[in-house]
């Protein structure tokens, strides 16, 4: 309750639309993490309304592509996933309308991730492939790496360990090449999960320690 009060205070003190949009994003993310979905939905709608009334493309993009909507637990109801997919698809449509291929790619990554978490691996794989192909047409290396990681996650979920390993390795090499420490750490975690699934605990631990060292 204290944290929510603190985030609400930040929103109430916001001096402009940009600060309000950012404050809404943080509050919505907090609500969703703790599965307060109704409150999270309400704040997201408020955030979109502020961004839309501001007539700022940048603020609308910020509202549509915040992290909050992706904070869904593995045991969430189908209705929760449907709402998240609806929101992400709204972002996809907007990204297409303004010609932002980077956000188009990010949308497909998110759609793939939501289907994967829901257990619909066929749709997840379909959208992940679109994201991976789309990522080849953009300059943002972080999104390229994230697209590869998501594709690897789906291979792993499908039990295709070799393909998962190859895809993760490609993502890691790109992260090293671009000196992206955060995504290097992310891939180390994926390697750890992969080795755990193969009952190779020592190598899994080794990868987690490498991630810890980077952190």
């Amino acid at each position: 309750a204290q944290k929510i009060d603190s985030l609400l205070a930040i929103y109430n003190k916001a001096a402009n639309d940009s600060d309000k949009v950012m404050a809404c994003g943080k509050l919505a993310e907090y609500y969703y993490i703790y599965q307060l979905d109704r409150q999270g939905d309400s704040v997201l709608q408020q955030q979109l309304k502020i961004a839309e009334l501001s007539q700022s493309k940048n603020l609308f993009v910020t509202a549509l592509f915040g992290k909050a909507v992706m904070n869904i637990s593995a045991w969430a109801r189908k209705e929760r996933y449907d709402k998240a997919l609806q929101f992400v698809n709204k972002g996809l449509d907007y990204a297409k309308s303004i010609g932002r291929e980077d956000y188009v790619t990010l949308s497909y990554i998110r759609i793939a991730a939501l289907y994967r978490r829901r257990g619909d691996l066929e749709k997840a794989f379909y959208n992940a492939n679109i994201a991976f192909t789309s990522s080849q047409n953009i300059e943002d290396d972080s999104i390229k790496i994230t697209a590869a990681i998501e594709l690897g996650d789906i291979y792993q979920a499908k039990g295709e360990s070799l393909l998962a390993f190859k895809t993760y390795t490609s993502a890691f090499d790109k992260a090293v090449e671009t000196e992206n420490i955060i995504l290097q750490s992310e891939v180390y975690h994926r390697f750890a999960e992969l080795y755990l699934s193969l009952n190779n605990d020592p190598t899994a631990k080794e990868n987690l320690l490498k991630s810890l060292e980077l952190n």
Side-chain angles (χ1 to χ4, degrees):
Q2 289 179 342
K3 181 65 174 179
I4 291 172
D5 287 344
S6 174
L7 291 169
L8 283 170
I10 293 173
Y11 170 76
N12 289 328
K13 291 178 182 177
N16 52 56
D17 289 337
S18 179
D19 290 344
K20 287 181 181 179
V21 166
M22 295 301 293
C24 282
K26 291 179 181 179
L27 182 58
E29 184 175 0
Y30 190 84
Y31 278 137
Y32 284 133
I33 286 173
Y34 289 95
Q35 300 169 48
L36 301 170
D37 295 342
R38 186 177 300 173
Q39 294 93 321
D41 290 344
S42 176
V43 173
L44 275 192
Q45 292 306 314
Q46 178 67 14
Q47 184 189 42
L48 281 175
K49 184 178 179 180
I50 294 168
E52 196 167 10
L53 290 174
S54 74
Q55 297 184 334
S56 167
K57 285 185 178 180
N58 289 336
L59 285 186
F60 204 55
V61 167
T62 298
L64 287 170
F65 290 92
K67 296 186 295 182
V69 72
M70 298 302 293
N71 286 300
I72 300 180
S73 64
W75 53 86
R77 295 181 179 180
K78 180 180 180 297
E79 292 78 10
R80 180 75 201 97
Y81 279 101
D82 288 342
K83 281 187 177 180
L85 283 166
Q86 184 180 11
F87 189 88
V88 174
N89 273 297
K90 185 172 184 177
L92 173 61
D93 291 340
Y94 186 69
K96 287 180 177 178
S97 73
I98 62 174
R100 290 294 299 268
E101 188 71 19
D102 50 347
Y103 284 108
V104 168
T105 303
L106 183 57
S107 296
Y108 281 118
I109 293 171
R110 290 182 163 193
I111 292 169
L114 289 170
Y115 278 124
R116 171 176 54 81
R117 294 178 196 175
R118 199 166 74 175
D120 192 336
L121 298 183
E122 183 177 343
K123 289 182 180 177
F125 186 64
Y126 174 78
N127 284 281
N129 270 311
I130 294 176
F132 188 78
T133 301
S134 177
S135 72
Q136 306 309 305
N137 301 321
I138 64 176
E139 296 182 0
D140 191 320
D141 290 318
S142 294
I143 295 180
K144 288 182 179 181
I145 298 165
T146 303
I149 291 174
E150 179 56 40
L151 185 58
D153 288 348
I154 295 168
Y155 281 132
Q156 172 68 351
K158 293 172 67 177
E160 299 179 14
S161 299
L162 182 57
L163 285 173
F165 179 80
K166 289 181 177 179
T167 308
Y168 289 147
T169 299
S170 176
F172 183 78
D173 290 344
K174 188 68 175 178
V176 171
E177 178 188 333
T178 57
E179 300 181 350
N180 192 319
I181 301 298
I182 293 174
L183 290 180
Q184 287 177 47
S185 179
E186 284 286 332
V187 180
Y188 275 134
H189 276 269
R190 297 315 200 279
F191 281 139
E193 291 170 10
L194 179 59
Y195 283 115
L196 278 174
S197 72
L198 299 173
N199 297 316
N200 188 340
D201 291 4
T203 307
K205 181 179 179 181
E206 180 183 336
N207 278 277
L208 288 176
L209 289 173
K210 288 178 180 178
S211 175
L212 180 61
E213 183 179 356
L214 283 179
N215 292 338

